[in-house]
Amino acid sequence: MKRIIATWFSITACIGGFTSRAFAKIEFNRDIRPIFSDTCFQCHGPDEKQRKSNLRLDVRAEAMKPAKSGAIAIVPGKPEKSEIIARVVTNNEDDLMPPTKLHKPLTKQQKELLKQWVAEGAEYQGHWAFMAPTTPTIPIIQNAKSIIHNSIDAFILSRLEKERLQPMPEADRATLIRRVSLDLVGLPPSPQEVDAFINDKTPGAYEKVVDRLLASKHYGEQMARQWLDFARYADSHGFQTDSSRQMWPWRDWVIKAFNGNLPYDQFTIQQIAGDLLPNATRDQIVATGFNRNHRLNGEGGSIPEEWRIENIIDRVETTSFTWLGLSMNCCRCHDHKYDPFTQRDFYSLFAFFNNMPENGMIQGTSNRAGGNSPPVIDVPTAEQETRLAKLKSEVKTAEEHVADAAKLLQKLIAEWESKVISQSVGEKNAWDVIELESVKSQGGATITKQGDGSYLASGINSDSDAYIITAKMPGAAVSAFLLECLPDPSLPNQSLGRASNGNYVLAEFEVDVMSTETGGNPVQANIVKAQADYSQKGYDIASLVTGGKKRQKGKGWAVDGPTKKDPRKAMFVLDKPVPAGAMVTITLKHDAVGQHNIGRFRLSASTLPAQAVNLDGKSDLASVRAILKTPADKRNAQQKSEVEKFFRTTVDSPVRRADAELAPAKKMMEDFEKMLPTVMVMKEIDKPRDAFILDRGEYDKPKDKVSMATPAVLPAMPAGAPLNRLGLAMWMVDPKNPLTARVWVNRAWEKFFGNGICKTTENLGSQAEWPSHPDLLDWLATEFMRMKWDMKAFQKMLVMSATYRQSSKITKDMFERDPENRLLARGPRFRLGGEAVRDQALAISGLLAPVIGGPSVRPYMPEGVWDETSKYGDLRGYKADTGDNLYRRSLYTFWKRTAAPPSMLLFDAPSREICTVKRSRTNTPLQALSLLNEIT
């Protein structure tokens, strides 16, 4: 145990630690701030409401003010007169600081550090992360044998020389290509790629590998994996039923952005405020889905305004964590206990996100929704774009035909009026019995024509008969068909059907059209409306509507045969008219219930427009006749409108035919648009809402009004930046902002080396760990901005360094001195994440389906994975996909927040209910059991 403790002190000394031996002079940020932040700021920090004894230790002037008793916490140069020293060394438990109940006693070494710091003058420093990074001088390495590939190595070797440690030699080539492949694309190299690298003796062999990986389409997937954690991306809303949502187009934007090497400043601006950019493209608007990935509540009794506020607060916290590396959560209710951020700062940031049209609850995601509905945008694929363009072209053509016909409208109405008055045209029934060319039974029944134009089935009554009917359409376009089922003495119970009880079940009414428009090939028409004068319970006529719907087995249209012996009729309206003179094949299918075939039937057609068709088929002119008695030049606007409407919707003419062409064309386009993928995005309302500080963070307790502003302790917004989300985004990537570049390069370092230079990559505030290489961190941040935020170039610099290429072999002495490899005397070695574990298995086995993007998939999962969280809603009963979808990369696995993929959770993936910027790395027996036994 003594040896462990001694080792620990040795480590902390060499990494920035707590012993005065390690440094000639105490440095506040490195040595003292961590002590204050961990043990003192909770009671004596920025939060005025929680401050004890009116003592503030985070500000030097405040710490040196005399108390009422005359005691002074810190007297520079005089630790013996400083109350803080007296309190930390006392044996009196009542006076001891920090209090025993806090369970954070200071070590002997920490007390000595405090004494030395006060003795040296108690110099304070601004928090290192809140000061703009400056470009430090690159160290000069004394050892001529040291391998330096770029400036990173100079900083690392300089520290190793001070610690008298030697770096490890470069890893063998098989190890190196595996390491860099897993880091850059998340997949292992193929045997051919390994062999090619081993056998490539040219000086630039490794760089060629790096360039190939950075250009791979899988690079974007690997980069996006962590970003989805930041954005709390999921395929469900969270809460209660946890129903599904469609946000995968945003995920695909992220992959595309990384693959296209979108500079990090633009990557940032587009996700925070892409919708506010001048002439914003669809991609830039889709990017704002980052701040729409939060949970949405649909629980009964929830208060819309409360959840609107919760959504905005989530956006503030997520944006702060992701780009600033700061925990702003505390400030929702009170001033921060550790960092110099106030409640006003928090709600000033809140004001930037307060102006979106939403009420905080789950609503429909139609892009045509209005009012307070959350904004969404259509995101068609390339194929869908082509189809949509064609449909729009068809609508435009139809509109031109309507415009041309409209020029003739008044002339045609006048001609029609004279005929109506003289001949009573238009009062006949709009259904005309069709003269059928042939009627055949697939089941072998005999079909006989009757005198009234109907057909009677007799003889064999098969289990699933189909009547195949062919007919030529009349000289006008047909919009609908009427099927009349008639009773007959020859049928059971003298009813309508051939079943023993006199019933029938019509499973399908199928219409195939052959015309010059179809190239002479049969094309099936869609039934968009089916209506009957009677339907049996559970066997409604609506089940025969097609329009791409999947047919329900065992269902159809039935009429209670034993009790309903009256004639029955059903109307079938088509999605677009059958051209005049076309050949039509109509199939009446009866395969839902055995031997339930129609006994006697008659078919009619209507040439009325679809919207004017009804079961009765009447075209009553009574109301119009009254108007026609008034001379045309003396009719008022309403009368003219009624005549025109009747003419356009009822009378066969070039105008009606043009209208009939336009209506289905528009409907097809609208129906297609409804099927397009959509994604929730950000959008500003016309008039900004007022924002207020909320007492204790409660939505219904507003206090002081606040305006949009960035935290006071950080630099102001850049000159000329608009006061909205776009201005906030510009401030995030302003070179004067000390955090954004630091945060990203620190997390990039963690990605490739296992730990950040500042280990607390999730928090660069006052409680952050002192960086192991502060000068290197500043150099990387300034270099990243000098590179114009080029993420690929920056990562190439990291993996090209000799530091990254080292062997990860470890000696006993090296482990004792630096167990976490913070000094980088050896290469990185740490466990793969959950997605990479699964993806590596798929890749090695040859099963991986390398498709990029698209809707989320459902691979193999443990049985019952959604059962406990999906008793209601649209995600009940998990069912695995088939084919390639079983073997897509884990990035694309459907993510249900209340039941996230178990194998991912076992390997430390978050549930994605909130922003997570750093995953833990654990090693548990469940992980081994999962790899051995789970179906995945």
Side-chain angles (χ1 to χ4, degrees):
M1 185 66 178
K2 289 180 179 178
R3 182 179 179 184
I4 293 172
I5 293 171
T7 301
W8 185 84
F9 282 126
S10 174
I11 295 163
T12 55
C14 70
I15 296 178
F18 302 113
T19 64
S20 55
R21 298 189 284 112
F23 301 98
K25 187 176 186 299
I26 299 296
E27 188 171 338
F28 178 80
N29 274 335
R30 181 190 64 210
D31 306 316
I32 305 303
R33 185 184 292 277
I35 301 174
F36 278 0
S37 184
D38 187 45
T39 64
C40 304
F41 286 170
Q42 182 173 344
C43 299
H44 304 294
D47 187 359
E48 185 177 358
K49 294 179 182 177
Q50 301 296 320
R51 197 175 298 146
K52 302 292 193 299
S53 304
N54 199 32
L55 172 62
R56 184 172 183 178
L57 290 176
D58 63 316
V59 177
R60 189 175 193 266
E62 294 292 324
M64 296 175 186
K65 285 182 180 179
K68 290 181 181 179
S69 63
I72 301 175
I74 297 174
V75 180
K78 299 178 180 179
E80 71 281 359
K81 293 187 177 181
S82 299
E83 186 69 13
I84 188 174
I85 303 301
R87 291 298 188 98
V88 300
V89 300
T90 183
N91 293 320
N92 185 339
E93 192 166 315
D94 292 336
D95 293 335
L96 181 65
M97 289 292 158
T100 305
K101 64 182 180 181
L102 197 61
H103 302 293
K104 290 186 176 181
L106 297 185
T107 65
K108 180 180 178 181
Q109 287 73 22
Q110 288 174 318
K111 294 173 184 178
E112 291 299 322
L113 278 174
L114 287 172
K115 286 182 183 178
Q116 183 179 342
W117 173 66
V118 174
E120 290 177 357
E123 181 183 341
Y124 273 69
Q125 294 172 315
H127 181 47
W128 61 270
F130 297 160
M131 295 185 287
T134 56
T135 305
T137 302
I138 297 171
I140 298 173
I141 304 306
Q142 303 301 322
N143 188 345
K145 295 181 179 180
S146 296
I147 298 175
I148 299 178
H149 290 309
N150 56 38
S151 299
I152 291 171
D153 300 324
F155 285 100
I156 297 298
L157 290 169
S158 175
R159 180 67 185 274
L160 291 178
E161 284 184 350
K162 291 177 183 177
E163 303 296 337
R164 298 182 181 179
L165 287 171
Q166 291 295 320
M168 293 295 286
E170 185 166 297
D172 64 85
R173 288 204 162 191
T175 298
L176 191 55
I177 191 173
R178 180 177 184 274
R179 177 189 297 168
V180 74
S181 294
L182 287 170
D183 279 344
L184 290 179
V185 298
L187 297 170
S190 67
Q192 295 78 13
E193 289 169 341
V194 174
D195 290 342
F197 180 50
I198 290 174
N199 295 322
D200 187 348
K201 306 302 181 184
T202 61
Y206 176 67
E207 186 173 10
K208 283 192 290 185
V209 169
V210 172
D211 289 340
R212 172 178 60 80
L213 293 170
L214 288 171
S216 168
K217 62 183 180 180
H218 299 301
Y219 165 82
E221 293 177 316
Q222 169 69 351
M223 288 291 289
R225 197 278 306 155
Q226 185 183 37
W227 201 258
L228 299 190
D229 284 356
F230 294 1
R232 65 275 191 247
Y233 169 85
D235 298 290
S236 72
H237 288 302
F239 297 107
Q240 202 180 28
T241 58
D242 199 14
S243 55
S244 65
R245 63 163 47 157
Q246 199 173 64
M247 289 298 291
W248 61 263
W250 173 82
R251 179 203 63 207
D252 287 1
W253 177 89
V254 174
I255 297 170
K256 179 182 174 183
F258 280 126
N259 277 337
N261 199 27
L262 186 67
Y264 188 68
D265 58 345
Q266 294 305 310
F267 185 70
T268 297
I269 288 171
Q270 291 184 28
Q271 288 186 87
I272 295 176
D275 59 307
L276 298 179
L277 290 169
N279 303 312
T281 65
R282 182 166 60 201
D283 272 1
Q284 290 170 338
I285 297 171
V286 168
T288 65
F290 175 89
N291 261 320
R292 294 302 315 284
N293 276 310
H294 53 72
R295 295 178 293 171
L296 284 173
N297 197 340
E299 295 176 354
S302 298
I303 302 169
E305 178 61 10
E306 178 180 13
W307 287 100
R308 188 185 75 83
I309 296 297
E310 291 298 325
N311 293 346
I312 298 169
I313 287 173
D314 178 273
R315 290 171 196 147
V316 174
E317 294 172 352
T318 298
T319 302
S320 177
F321 269 128
T322 300
W323 279 282
L324 302 177
L326 296 175
S327 167
M328 295 289 287
N329 306 40
C330 303
C331 298
R332 169 183 180 161
C333 300
H334 51 77
D335 292 349
H336 208 293
K337 290 183 179 297
Y338 305 102
D339 290 321
F341 301 119
T342 65
Q343 230 188 334
R344 178 171 293 274
D345 288 331
F346 183 90
Y347 287 101
S348 295
L349 287 174
F350 173 103
F352 285 104
F353 298 98
N354 191 38
N355 302 311
M356 200 179 75
E358 65 169 342
N359 64 14
M361 304 292 290
I362 296 173
Q363 299 183 23
T365 56
S366 167
N367 63 328
R368 284 156 287 279
N372 266 350
S373 296
V376 303
I377 187 173
D378 289 336
V379 193
T381 63
E383 294 78 11
Q384 289 170 329
E385 287 270 28
T386 301
R387 173 65 175 154
L388 187 59
K390 185 174 183 296
L391 291 173
K392 287 180 177 179
S393 175
E394 291 173 356
V395 169
K396 183 179 179 182
T397 300
E399 287 174 338
E400 290 171 353
H401 291 167
V402 169
D404 291 340
K407 296 173 184 177
L408 305 172
L409 181 60
Q410 297 308 317
K411 178 185 175 184
L412 293 171
I413 289 177
E415 292 174 355
W416 167 76
E417 278 191 32
S418 62
K419 292 180 182 179
V420 168
I421 294 170
S422 62
Q423 303 174 16
S424 299
V425 172
E427 294 185 280
K428 68 182 182 65
N429 193 302
W431 290 113
D432 294 313
V433 175
I434 306 172
E435 186 63 37
L436 307 183
E437 294 200 359
S438 67
V439 182
K440 296 180 182 178
S441 162
Q442 280 189 345
T446 300
I447 308 290
T448 307
K449 186 177 181 180
Q450 307 298 297
D452 60 355
S454 66
Y455 288 79
L456 177 65
S458 61
I460 297 172
N461 187 30
S462 64
D463 272 349
S464 55
D465 206 346
Y467 303 158
I468 313 298
I469 303 159
T470 59
K472 187 174 182 179
M473 293 296 96
V478 170
S479 59
F481 292 99
L482 182 73
L483 173 66
E484 295 175 273
C485 298
L486 309 170
D488 194 88
S490 69
L491 298 173
N493 293 321
Q494 299 183 16
S495 190
L496 314 175
R498 303 194 69 195
S500 59
N501 63 358
N503 203 356
Y504 62 80
V505 181
L506 179 63
E508 282 190 65
F509 187 94
E510 187 177 287
V511 181
D512 291 291
V513 182
M514 287 184 293
S515 68
T516 54
E517 292 184 13
T518 67
N521 299 313
V523 175
Q524 186 172 338
N526 281 325
I527 307 296
V528 294
K529 180 181 179 182
Q531 184 179 347
D533 58 356
Y534 178 81
S535 291
Q536 180 179 326
K537 186 177 181 180
Y539 292 87
D540 195 273
I541 187 69
S543 66
L544 273 66
V545 173
T546 54
K549 283 172 47 177
K550 189 175 181 181
R551 178 182 161 194
Q552 286 184 286
K553 189 175 181 181
K555 290 294 183 182
W557 175 47
V559 292
D560 289 319
T563 57
K564 303 293 180 183
K565 299 180 182 180
D566 297 330
R568 292 295 163 212
K569 55 187 176 181
M571 173 182 73
F572 301 93
V573 182
L574 307 178
D575 60 345
K576 59 182 179 179
V578 177
M583 287 299 299
V584 169
T585 300
I586 297 175
T587 306
L588 308 182
K589 291 186 179 181
H590 313 86
D591 56 2
V593 181
Q595 295 192 320
H596 278 57
N597 304 309
I598 293 174
R600 183 179 172 188
F601 66 90
R602 182 167 56 212
L603 276 172
S604 300
S606 176
T607 56
L608 286 174
Q611 62 268 32
V613 176
N614 57 62
L615 272 172
D616 293 332
K618 294 294 176 68
S619 180
D620 188 5
L621 284 174
S623 60
V624 177
R625 279 183 177 281
I627 298 173
L628 296 183
K629 291 177 182 179
T630 304
D633 59 347
K634 293 186 179 181
R635 294 172 196 161
N636 59 36
Q638 183 177 349
Q639 289 172 324
K640 291 177 181 178
S641 176
E642 288 184 22
V643 171
E644 182 177 322
K645 180 180 179 182
F646 185 87
F647 180 82
R648 295 187 79 131
T649 59
T650 307
V651 180
D652 185 33
S653 72
V655 175
R656 201 203 79 179
R657 288 193 289 274
D659 288 344
E661 178 189 3
L662 178 59
K666 277 187 172 180
K667 188 173 189 313
M668 285 184 68
M669 185 180 72
E670 290 168 359
D671 289 346
F672 186 76
E673 286 178 332
K674 290 176 183 176
M675 296 168 56
L676 295 176
T678 61
V679 64
M680 294 188 288
V681 295
M682 298 292 281
K683 181 182 179 181
E684 294 290 280
I685 57 177
D686 294 334
K687 184 180 180 182
R689 294 187 182 98
D690 289 335
F692 302 89
I693 295 174
L694 300 179
D695 187 25
R696 301 300 298 171
E698 297 290 340
Y699 80 97
D700 57 351
K701 295 180 180 178
K703 295 174 64 182
D704 297 343
K705 184 177 175 180
V706 295
S707 302
M708 299 179 196
T710 53
V713 72
L714 296 174
M717 292 176 68
L723 198 59
N724 56 19
R725 273 186 293 113
L726 180 57
L728 177 68
M730 294 166 65
W731 173 79
M732 288 284 182
V733 294
D734 184 60
K736 294 179 182 177
N737 189 322
L739 289 164
T740 305
R742 266 200 189 104
V743 167
W744 193 85
V745 301
N746 192 45
R747 288 175 183 159
W749 191 271
E750 179 183 57
K751 172 183 170 64
F752 292 102
F753 294 98
N755 287 299
I757 296 175
C758 171
K759 188 177 180 182
T760 52
T761 53
E762 74 281 12
N763 184 5
L764 261 62
S766 293
Q767 289 202 298
E769 184 212 53
W770 174 252
S772 58
H773 299 76
D775 285 349
L776 173 58
L777 180 57
D778 272 13
W779 183 85
L780 291 171
T782 54
E783 187 69 3
F784 185 40
M785 289 186 281
R786 189 194 65 77
M787 289 177 167
K788 301 187 184 301
W789 307 87
D790 187 324
M791 291 186 277
K792 283 189 178 183
F794 184 86
Q795 290 177 97
K796 179 178 179 179
M797 179 177 67
L798 295 185
V799 300
M800 289 299 295
S801 68
T803 304
Y804 176 81
R805 298 193 224 179
Q806 292 177 101
S807 168
S808 59
K809 292 178 181 177
I810 185 170
T811 64
K812 181 180 178 181
D813 177 63
M814 192 181 293
F815 181 77
E816 288 183 346
R817 293 190 63 184
D818 187 11
E820 291 187 300
N821 197 26
R822 302 300 306 285
L823 298 176
L824 279 304
R826 60 185 187 276
R829 181 176 67 182
F830 50 90
R831 203 203 65 198
L832 297 175
E835 291 89 345
V837 169
R838 177 176 174 272
D839 293 350
Q840 184 171 225
L842 289 173
I844 291 170
S845 65
L847 288 171
L848 181 69
V851 181
I852 304 294
S856 296
V857 297
R858 302 185 186 189
Y860 293 119
M861 288 282 184
E863 186 176 350
V865 69
W866 285 356
D867 288 358
E868 291 303 314
T869 62
S870 302
K871 294 180 180 179
Y872 309 99
D874 63 342
L875 295 180
R876 289 175 288 174
Y878 186 91
K879 185 178 180 181
D881 285 334
T882 57
D884 283 352
N885 282 352
L886 290 172
Y887 309 113
R888 296 283 304 282
R889 287 194 72 168
S890 304
L891 177 81
Y892 302 113
T893 297
F894 192 100
W895 203 281
K896 179 175 166 65
R897 293 182 204 267
T898 55
S903 55
M904 298 298 103
L905 295 180
L906 281 175
F907 285 91
D908 306 315
S911 66
R912 297 210 179 129
E913 293 181 285
I914 58 173
C915 170
T916 305
V917 294
K918 184 174 184 175
R919 290 189 184 184
S920 58
R921 291 195 188 104
T922 62
N923 187 8
T924 73
L926 284 175
Q927 293 167 354
L929 289 170
S930 174
L931 294 176
L932 287 169
N933 302 318
E934 198 230 84
I935 187 172
T936 298

